[in-house]
Amino acid sequence: MNSIERRLAIADLFADYVACLDGDRLESWLECFVEGCVYCIISRENLRLGLPLALLLCENKDMLRDRVVSLRAANEYRVHTDKHLVGSVRIKGPKEDAWAVEADYAMFQTDAEGNGSLYSFGTYESEVVFVEEAPKLRSHRVVVDNWNIPHMLSTPI
Amino acid sequence: MSLHVDWPRNDYSRVPYRLYHDPEVYALEQERIFKGPTWSYLCLEAEIPELGDYLTTWVGDTPVVANRGPDGAVYAFVNRCAHRGAAVCREARGNTRFHTCIYHRWSYDHAGKLRGIPFFRGIGGEGGMDEDFDMSRHGLRPLRVACFEGVVFGTFADTTEPIETYLGAVLRGHIGRLMSRPLRILGYQRQRIEGNWKLYLENLRDTYHASLLHEFLVTFGLDRATQKGGVEMDGRHRHNLTYAHVASDDEQAARAAYGRQRVRADSLTLRDPSLLEFRREYPDDRNLAISTVFPNAAFQQLNNSLATRQVQTKGIDGFDLVWTYFGYADDGEDMTAHRLRQANLFGPGGLVSMEDAEAIEIAHRSTRREDAETVVEVGGKGEISDRAYRVNDVPVRGFWSYYAELMGIEPEGAVR
């Protein structure tokens, strides 16, 4: 793959990522990640204060799988559907063995009666690696700008 | 302002839904509870360690600043300029010697005393304040502050009993246990729940729901009603501590007990069980100990996830829940990483706590125009007292008994 092909593939990865979430295909969403991935959702506030606490932290793909299984089988949460909008994917170029990528997102939620609201917005800060020519997330940090979480945080952002 | 409430029973085993929805009730709560003879949780001392450190918070609907004065003591005052009512401190936290309102630059010290007014005598003898203006009478309203084991409480009332008496032995013990070593603040989480604040205070006092609503707890044996545990309260039954002992039940028997109630207890396994590891760090073997302090706080230990929770009322229909996670200053890197991992259990996205917000919102939503009452009699009616078992919601009745006393709405022959 040349550089242009890789850039297009990274943009596709982000499009697939949100399409899986919005389509409630969480098991397919897992395939956006490598085994040794880190996924976390963290408030802009904690980052600014230099505090390490996340809203959700998965330090490998098994923890991510556990999250999905728990959402499916154990957790109860607001009945909702999601819609993510992702802004321009800023590909900062290859850095050692990974590509540093950032993209702003907005996520809307709709309840069971069709009422919609802006649920979350912020920035994806990611490291993408290529595994057999396919781009995968090795690190994916969701920095939430509106960190007073409406209702609760259930399905991933 | 006075209120009349028809309590169907004097032991609070029935609570009228109106109390969660009537704006007049809410207004009276602000006056009698949050500005009444109660100690509200403000923050942890570890959040404002240096002289001049401050943070903004809320006591009910009242904006409050807590800060560390030049003498090292903690002071608190209402964050509302004595001049035109603007918030004096606008940042969530910071460090300063003087708190200056941006509107007309009135300036206050750590205790809220008014220290400076620009153009106090005008310019060239024209303008400014009249001769009889007394700066000492225009400070920010102070709160009395009490620090107990590094936890900062504030009260508006002169009559509030000393913090040690207010908390009582059970809460003093639990807070002392969690605060037994110097703290390291790990971070904050905040969520807005669309329900009346009292629904959350009840939720915290209801051990019956824990292992039914939160299936994650049952499935992985973190908290099961079959374990050794119970609830303890202070003498006035306004606070409570719910606790459980790890591995104190039989795995097979527990799963059978839940199976009979048609609660799933064994369908999940974790591929990465590090999330559930319990590293004993206190003399006892309690893996779960969560206390609530009337009216606005909870102190949480589940395994090694430690946090305070503060309720900030946002009108009759909503409240913010602020989580402050901490570890200990002498935690090694590995222990800090463990606590950060275990933080997944709680908070707005907690594997065992996200359900609470949903339970509160659906209860709030469906009782708006309901002229009926909620039922509180698991673990028995009548006397309000400690229980050495889990299937009960007795402390919920304790909450209401103290609430009713403060609000001046006790029924005849009220159980306390």
Side-chain angles (χ1 to χ4, degrees):
Chain A
M1 289 172 96
N2 63 34
S3 173
I4 291 169
E5 286 169 332
R6 285 185 194 273
R7 282 170 177 268
L8 288 172
I10 290 170
D12 284 347
L13 171 67
F14 277 69
D16 290 342
Y17 174 101
V18 296
C20 286
L21 290 179
D22 292 346
D24 193 30
R25 290 181 282 116
L26 301 181
E27 292 75 11
S28 309
W29 171 74
L30 291 171
E31 295 321 305
C32 297
F33 297 86
V34 296
E35 286 297 328
C37 65
V38 176
Y39 172 78
C40 94
I41 303 176
I42 188 167
S43 71
R44 183 77 69 191
E45 183 197 34
N46 283 350
L47 276 188
R48 192 160 41 213
L49 294 170
L51 296 171
L53 182 80
L55 282 151
L56 191 159
L57 171 67
C58 293
E59 296 164 306
N60 55 58
K61 195 165 172 177
D62 275 342
M63 285 182 76
L64 215 47
R65 289 188 181 100
D66 290 340
R67 205 20 112 152
V68 170
V69 168
S70 182
L71 284 170
R72 293 289 194 219
N75 294 124
E76 306 289 348
Y77 45 87
R78 187 169 186 251
V79 177
H80 72 274
T81 53
D82 295 335
K83 185 68 72 191
H84 288 75
L85 302 179
V86 179
S88 302
V89 178
R90 301 187 291 278
I91 301 170
K92 297 180 161 179
K95 203 173 71 183
E96 292 169 15
D97 59 338
W99 293 63
V101 182
E102 282 186 8
D104 295 330
Y105 75 90
M107 173 186 171
F108 300 81
Q109 266 191 1
T110 309
D111 72 10
E113 293 179 337
N115 304 296
S117 58
L118 177 58
Y119 174 80
S120 178
F121 55 92
T123 306
Y124 293 144
E125 299 176 355
S126 316
E127 278 177 25
V128 176
V129 293
F130 281 82
V131 181
E132 292 167 2
E133 303 288 282
K136 301 274 182 189
L137 294 162
R138 185 171 73 188
S139 164
H140 192 57
R141 185 162 81 166
V142 181
V143 181
V144 180
D145 284 357
N146 62 327
W147 42 267
N148 190 2
I149 306 297
H151 314 289
M152 74 217 68
L153 176 62
S154 53
T155 43
I157 300 173
Chain B
M1 191 159 47
S2 77
L3 191 71
H4 180 77
V5 175
D6 283 318
W7 295 96
R9 297 182 183 178
N10 67 359
D11 63 357
Y12 306 99
S13 56
R14 296 290 182 276
V15 180
Y17 287 125
R18 176 192 157 206
L19 292 173
Y20 306 91
H21 297 287
D22 185 342
E24 279 185 31
V25 170
Y26 185 79
L28 198 65
E29 286 168 353
Q30 295 296 323
E31 179 191 320
R32 303 241 171 113
I33 292 177
F34 293 104
K35 289 194 171 167
T38 58
W39 286 104
S40 283
Y41 170 88
L42 300 182
C43 63
L44 296 170
E45 281 201 67
E47 294 177 82
I48 45 172
E50 308 295 332
L51 303 184
D53 280 355
Y54 73 87
L55 58 77
T56 59
T57 183
W58 299 83
V59 172
D61 285 350
T62 307
V64 167
V65 173
N67 71 152
R68 195 173 289 278
D71 58 352
V74 177
Y75 296 81
F77 50 78
V78 174
N79 191 14
R80 183 190 302 125
C81 186
H83 178 212
R84 301 281 297 189
V88 176
C89 295
R90 298 178 305 135
E91 301 282 346
R93 44 180 65 77
N95 183 287
T96 187
R97 248 187 94 197
F98 291 101
H99 304 277
T100 304
C101 178
I102 58 163
Y103 201 171
H104 305 87
R105 308 288 167 186
W106 286 32
S107 183
Y108 304 87
D109 69 10
H110 60 277
K113 289 201 173 72
L114 181 57
R115 293 297 190 189
I117 295 180
F119 302 124
F120 188 59
R121 292 287 171 240
I123 297 172
E126 293 180 307
M129 314 301 280
D130 277 348
E131 285 296 331
D132 63 355
F133 187 85
D134 181 358
M135 291 217 330
S136 72
R137 298 181 55 162
H138 294 271
L140 303 173
R141 182 178 176 183
L143 285 80
R144 278 202 296 139
V145 167
C147 295
F148 179 79
E149 302 278 3
V151 182
V152 183
F153 295 93
T155 185
F156 284 105
D158 296 329
T159 54
T160 316
E161 61 204 286
I163 190 68
E164 289 79 7
T165 333
Y166 183 78
L167 291 172
V170 172
L171 269 292
R172 286 201 307 270
H174 180 240
I175 293 174
R177 177 175 174 270
L178 287 183
M179 305 294 158
S180 54
R181 289 145 61 194
L183 303 190
R184 176 187 168 192
I185 303 296
L186 296 177
Y188 302 96
Q189 296 174 344
R190 182 188 278 264
Q191 73 191 111
R192 168 68 54 86
I193 298 178
E194 291 183 5
N196 185 258
W197 67 281
K198 298 187 292 298
L199 289 166
Y200 191 67
L201 276 290
E202 291 183 294
N203 173 279
L204 287 165
R205 286 164 170 81
D206 159 14
T207 49
Y208 177 48
H209 89 281
S211 66
L212 295 167
L213 176 65
H214 306 304
E215 282 188 292
F216 191 96
L217 286 172
V218 187
T219 306
F220 302 108
L222 277 169
D223 175 20
R224 284 190 293 234
T226 44
Q227 286 167 345
K228 189 177 124 197
V231 291
E232 293 174 351
M233 287 169 272
D234 63 304
R236 187 54 196 85
H237 307 134
R238 55 196 164 191
H239 321 303
N240 85 309
L241 168 68
T242 178
Y243 61 92
H245 293 257
V246 67
S248 59
D249 61 349
D250 175 77
E251 191 73 19
Q252 293 286 318
R255 291 189 173 205
Y258 276 94
R260 281 194 294 277
Q261 310 304 319
R262 298 180 186 278
V263 174
R264 188 168 33 216
D266 58 0
S267 63
L268 297 188
T269 51
L270 288 186
R271 293 175 69 124
D272 186 340
S274 61
L275 189 62
L276 306 175
E277 185 194 341
F278 174 43
R279 302 184 186 176
R280 213 177 118 159
E281 55 184 330
Y282 306 110
D284 54 72
D285 65 354
R286 285 181 180 179
N287 75 310
L288 178 143
I290 300 177
S291 70
T292 67
V293 173
F294 193 98
N296 75 334
F299 298 86
Q300 159 212 312
Q301 174 222 347
L302 175 58
N303 288 7
N304 305 103
S305 179
L306 312 177
T308 66
R309 306 179 199 173
Q310 182 194 30
V311 170
Q312 301 179 356
T313 58
K314 301 292 171 192
I316 188 96
D317 292 322
F319 64 94
D320 279 1
L321 188 54
V322 180
W323 309 68
T324 302
Y325 286 74
F326 60 88
Y328 299 112
D330 59 0
D331 281 345
E333 242 174 77
D334 181 59
M335 189 60 172
T336 298
H338 176 60
R339 292 195 205 280
L340 292 171
R341 188 179 308 123
Q342 218 151 61
N344 280 298
L345 295 171
F346 276 116
L351 288 162
V352 298
S353 65
M354 71 174 77
E355 288 87 10
D356 287 324
E358 177 65 1
I360 285 161
E361 291 190 351
I362 58 178
H364 189 80
R365 208 155 56 218
S366 43
T367 55
R368 252 187 204 123
R369 288 285 171 265
E370 186 53 63
D371 191 24
E373 307 92 26
T374 174
V375 175
V376 192
E377 55 178 86
V378 184
K381 306 185 287 290
E383 187 191 67
I384 300 169
S385 53
D386 294 355
R387 294 291 189 274
Y389 52 82
R390 314 295 313 286
V391 184
N392 82 87
D393 56 17
V394 177
V396 174
R397 295 194 288 119
F399 170 83
W400 285 108
S401 83
Y402 190 57
Y403 174 94
E405 182 189 335
L406 289 181
M407 293 282 281
I409 54 169
E410 284 185 293
E412 206 158 305
V415 173
R416 283 190 174 178

